[in-house]
Amino acid sequence: MPMHPAAPDDRNGLIDAFDATVRSIIDLGYSCRDDDFDVATECPGWTVKDQIAHIVGAEKSFSGLPRPQLTVPDYPHLRNDFARFVEVDVEARRGVTGRDVVAELAEFHPGRMAQLRASEADVDTVIGGFFGPDTTFGEHLHRRIVDAWVHEQDIRAALDRPGNLDSASAAVFTADILAALPRIAARVADIGTGHAVVLDVTGPVAARGGARICIGEDGRPHGEALFSGQDRPEGEEQLDVTSIQLTTDALTRRAAGRRPTDQIHYTVTGDEAIARKLLDALVVVTH
């Protein structure tokens, strides 16, 4: 089942997806009342204003501007060094009003987009940087899309203003989750050999992905992608298939680690325990 809408994989498509997501965050920020900026979101420790502060701070860093130099307090939601590193941009804007943080992002974003569009890098060009020395321009854009879109959805959920679940960025994140499914099913969820799992995403981004668990060359469980969520691999009629049906919102909120399995709606055809193990393990975003 082809994904609809399809996730962009070309340079301009990725840039456009990122641009649209950040502009949506700006629009959400401008629509906020003063009290809305203080509403807690599903991202632990962060308010609506903090989400926007993170986006503008991150993009300023990626554009080459120096990061703020300050000490971050020992907040309970900071559980590792990466979280503390990310918190710097948020902490630097704690004393700034929400409206001013939105204005900062709105002022900075057009120049950032001009910088990205003017770059001569293509998706396969190695640019290195924060994500590692071998990071390509396409991979960088991909990660920035997922980060921005997940935080846009954090804001939307906090304000009860759903939207952009059918966007190019939503498709990018959905594709990421399905691509990670074989690894997670075999190595994280420990589904066990002889089983297959299928995620049937009903929309607004409609997609299906699956994985069968077999023994790899190293003797460890290995996940192989299924091309169809319904057909059993030829010659393996005995394979037990568990299918999970859920919406784009339920899938992406779970995969972003924002909602536990008990707080999303899904239906199962097959083994309920296997479905639960997979969903409990299905987190692909670290912040």
Side-chain angles (χ1 to χ4, degrees), residues 181-194:
L181 179 59
R183 174 187 59 82
I184 291 174
R187 299 291 174 89
V188 184
D190 191 22
I191 297 301
T193 57

Side-chain angles (χ1 to χ4, degrees), residues 192-242:
T193 57
H195 294 282
V197 289
V198 171
L199 291 176
D200 190 359
V201 191
T202 59
V205 174
R208 181 180 292 129
R212 58 176 172 176
I213 313 304
C214 55
I215 297 297
E217 293 181 358
D218 60 358
R220 300 174 61 197
H222 173 71
E224 292 184 351
L226 294 177
F227 293 103
S228 166
Q230 296 298 328
D231 299 332
R232 298 184 180 190
E234 185 177 352
E236 296 192 14
E237 289 78 8
Q238 77 281 5
L239 197 68
D240 292 325
V241 180
T242 295

Side-chain angles (χ1 to χ4, degrees), residues 10-267:
D10 62 293
R11 179 186 189 280
N12 290 337
L14 292 170
I15 291 175
D16 288 346
F18 179 67
D19 183 22
T21 296
V22 176
R23 284 190 286 108
S24 291
I25 292 172
I26 293 168
D27 289 345
L28 283 167
Y30 276 134
S31 74
C32 285
R33 299 166 299 187
D34 289 345
D35 290 347
D36 288 336
F37 290 111
D38 296 326
V39 175
T41 70
E42 291 176 323
C43 184
W46 282 7
T47 63
V48 168
K49 188 193 86 171
D50 296 337
Q51 300 276 352
I52 303 170
H54 163 66
I55 294 299
V56 67
E59 283 311 301
K60 283 192 168 184
S61 295
F62 285 125
S63 73
L65 295 176
R67 302 190 77 234
Q69 299 298 310
L70 53 83
T71 300
V72 176
D74 292 324
Y75 295 121
H77 62 276
L78 301 180
R79 298 182 178 181
N80 53 53
D81 290 341
F82 177 72
R84 184 176 296 278
F85 176 83
V86 171
E87 193 77 14
V88 167
D89 293 317
V90 176
E91 184 68 20
R93 293 166 177 82
R94 295 264 186 227
V96 180
T97 68
R99 295 196 181 281
D100 284 343
V101 173
V102 175
E104 181 186 5
L105 180 58
E107 180 181 358
F108 177 75
H109 182 63
R112 174 60 173 155
M113 293 312 304
Q115 183 185 47
L116 289 173
R117 294 188 190 281
S119 170
E120 296 181 357
D122 204 346
V123 289
D124 295 326
T125 302
V126 175
I127 62 171
F130 174 77
F131 297 121
D134 297 326
T135 302
T136 65
F137 188 56
E139 289 168 341
H140 175 86
L141 290 172
H142 202 107
R143 295 183 185 189
R144 294 308 304 135
I145 287 168
V146 169
D147 182 65
W149 186 79
V150 166
H151 290 300
E152 177 198 347
Q153 295 304 310
D154 288 336
I155 295 169
R156 290 187 178 280
L159 300 177
D160 194 20
R161 299 177 193 173
N164 272 355
L165 288 165
D166 59 351
S167 66
S169 293
V172 167
F173 188 33
T174 301
D176 268 10
I177 299 165
L178 297 183
L181 179 59
R183 174 187 59 82
I184 291 174
R187 299 291 174 89
V188 184
D190 191 22
I191 297 301
T193 57
H195 294 282
V197 289
V198 171
L199 291 176
D200 190 359
V201 191
T202 59
V205 174
R208 181 180 292 129
R212 58 176 172 176
I213 313 304
C214 55
I215 297 297
E217 293 181 358
D218 60 358
R220 300 174 61 197
H222 173 71
E224 292 184 351
L226 294 177
F227 293 103
S228 166
Q230 296 298 328
D231 299 332
R232 298 184 180 190
E234 185 177 352
E236 296 192 14
E237 289 78 8
Q238 77 281 5
L239 197 68
D240 292 325
V241 180
T242 295
S243 296
I244 306 168
Q245 188 176 71
L246 71 179
T247 65
T248 306
D249 181 58
L251 174 69
T252 55
R253 289 282 85 190
R254 177 67 207 122
R258 299 309 197 248
R259 294 175 194 161
T261 303
D262 287 339
Q263 291 183 16
I264 64 170
H265 177 72
Y266 62 95
T267 58

